[in-house]
Amino acid sequence: MISIDNRSRTPLYEQLMENIKLQIIKGVMKPDEQLPSVRQMAQELTINPNTIQKAYRELEREGFTYSIPGRGSFVQKIETDINKERVDELTTELERIIQELLFLGLTKEELQQKIELIAGGEQHERQGN
């Protein structure tokens, strides 16, 4: 289920992208599964089709989806080589965030606890518990 907050400062296409990415990462959407058509998604969420198209283009650019002309967009099979560039981008962003959190007073131990809590939650969800 995709939810969009019209009152959020986050652009609608970014909200849509994050929702779809989360579904792909959590395994809700499987590799080669077709995404809803732009028209269908626009009607369902009552937002402009151009916004949906922009989100779909960005998801493809980031390697989460691929498109087949005349058929639509599909979930990309996650492969390590394809996603190396994205992992590098996210690692750089994570390093910046960690440095800022340390500057703001979080300890190394507190950061480790947060990471373990997040990773533990992911593991718990993947096991279906």
Side-chain angles (χ1 to χ4, degrees):
M1 178 73 187
I2 294 176
S3 62
I4 300 293
D5 181 2
N6 290 316
R7 292 175 285 158
S8 172
R9 289 183 178 207
T10 304
L12 295 176
Y13 83 95
E14 286 182 13
Q15 290 183 50
L16 180 58
M17 285 177 58
E18 291 307 312
N19 272 272
I20 293 172
K21 283 182 195 179
L22 195 58
Q23 288 187 10
I24 292 171
I25 291 167
K26 289 187 173 193
V28 174
M29 297 183 84
K30 306 289 183 208
D32 299 320
E33 181 178 334
Q34 187 170 9
L35 274 64
S37 71
V38 169
R39 182 177 296 155
Q40 179 185 352
M41 185 74 80
Q43 288 175 345
E44 193 175 299
L45 299 174
T46 60
I47 57 179
N48 190 311
N50 293 329
T51 303
I52 308 294
Q53 188 62 45
K54 183 174 183 177
Y56 280 15
R57 267 195 316 270
E58 286 297 308
L59 286 167
E60 185 170 353
R61 187 185 64 77
E62 290 183 8
F64 284 91
T65 62
Y66 65 94
S67 62
I68 299 174
R71 298 227 19 242
S73 295
F74 300 83
V75 175
Q76 182 72 270
K77 184 177 178 181
I78 304 298
E79 295 180 18
T80 319
D81 294 340
I82 293 173
N83 293 317
K84 183 174 179 356
E85 183 178 323
R86 182 68 178 147
V87 167
D88 290 344
E89 288 174 15
L90 289 171
T91 301
T92 301
E93 185 177 341
L94 180 60
E95 288 171 359
R96 182 192 57 76
I97 291 169
I98 289 171
Q99 288 172 350
E100 187 172 343
L101 287 169
L102 290 169
F103 175 78
L104 293 172
L106 247 60
T107 66
K108 180 180 172 183
E109 291 74 24
E110 288 171 324
L111 282 171
Q112 287 175 328
Q113 287 174 350
K114 291 186 181 301
I115 291 169
E116 289 171 7
L117 182 66
I118 292 167
E122 288 287 318
Q123 187 67 26
H124 189 69
E125 287 178 14
R126 287 184 185 160
Q127 292 174 351
N129 294 328

